[in-house]
Amino acid sequence: YRSGVGAGAGDDNDNHYTLTGDSQCVPSGGSGNTETYTCTFPVYFYAEPTDAGSTYEAQNWACEVTPSDSGGAGTANTDTIEMDTLLSLGVSTSISFGLVSVGQNSIGDIISTVSNTGNIAIDFRLSGGALTCSGRGSVAVGSQEYSLSSFAYNSGTDLSTSPADVNATLPKPDSVASSISDETYWQVSIPTGSEGSCTGTTTFTVISGL
């Protein structure tokens, strides 16, 4: 549990967990009246961090273990550890503009979805490079545009080789099934002199949204 909520709090995957029984702990040595156990205690990826710079940096996570046998319960003991901040995002696999004629720009909403898969609110940056065409020529990086909402070409933000903040704060997830996501919309213009299938790489870089 996070020390700020205490051992007696109700279970909450953000900050408090309870496990009972022998299956979590495996004997790993000892003799006589003493036995050493190695215990595993899993938590969900979105459990609240307590490391430096986090909201709860003055706290930590505590693991309290109470042994018991046929004679009854023993004395509880507690150890502590920091829960690290997890900056993580998921991105849909590709941005496909489809068939675009030379000298024309793409039409319609080309969408790539970004999801928060960490334990704090996040933002992200975008960068990329030129698209290389299989026949001839290329598409300059700035001919690719993006926005956080539907737009027409020339009214979006030009993609750049330098990472640029998108300013799309995605809150911290609070369940495994929760969908904390945002959509990025894309358009491209194909210059004359380009031919074939044009491909390249776009980079989404996660940053803290606190």
Side-chain angles (χ1 to χ4, degrees), residues 99-107 139 143 153 188-192:
L99 182 64
V100 183
S101 299
V102 172
Q104 302 294 315
N105 54 266
S106 55
I107 298 174
V139 179
S143 293
Y153 191 78
V188 69
S189 179
I190 304 299
T192 57

Side-chain angles (χ1 to χ4, degrees), residues 96 106-112 149-152 183-187:
S96 178
S106 55
I107 298 174
D109 295 331
I110 312 301
I111 297 173
S112 177
S149 59
S150 181
F151 72 104
E183 293 179 332
T184 57
Y185 295 75
W186 296 83
Q187 297 286 345

Side-chain angles (χ1 to χ4, degrees), residues 35-199:
E35 182 63 76
T36 300
Y37 282 84
T38 298
C39 300
T40 300
F41 209 111
V43 298
Y44 281 100
F45 67 90
Y46 54 87
E48 295 162 342
T50 56
D51 56 349
S54 67
T55 301
Y56 302 108
E57 65 176 336
Q59 303 178 29
N60 51 39
W61 274 69
C63 184
E64 181 178 286
V65 177
T66 303
S68 62
D69 60 15
S70 58
T75 302
N77 198 8
T78 302
D79 199 2
T80 60
I81 194 171
E82 298 290 0
M83 185 72 69
D84 287 345
T85 294
L86 173 62
L87 283 170
S88 181
L89 60 77
V91 182
S92 54
T93 56
S94 65
I95 300 170
S96 178
F97 294 108
L99 182 64
V100 183
S101 299
V102 172
Q104 302 294 315
N105 54 266
S106 55
I107 298 174
D109 295 331
I110 312 301
I111 297 173
S112 177
T113 302
V114 182
S115 302
N116 186 351
T117 54
N119 64 357
I120 65 168
I122 63 169
D123 193 358
F124 59 96
R125 294 175 176 143
L126 286 171
S127 60
L131 305 180
T132 302
C133 301
S134 59
R136 58 174 179 156
S138 62
V139 179
V141 61
S143 293
Q144 304 164 70
E145 293 186 354
Y146 63 89
S147 176
L148 292 177
S149 59
S150 181
F151 72 104
Y153 191 78
N154 283 329
S155 63
T157 301
D158 291 351
L159 189 64
S160 171
T161 56
S162 299
D165 291 356
V166 178
N167 298 316
T169 299
L170 281 70
K172 184 186 90 65
D174 58 8
S175 75
V176 174
S178 65
S179 179
I180 306 297
S181 61
D182 209 342
E183 293 179 332
T184 57
Y185 295 75
W186 296 83
Q187 297 286 345
V188 69
S189 179
I190 304 299
T192 57
S194 299
E195 185 178 282
S197 177
C198 304
T199 59

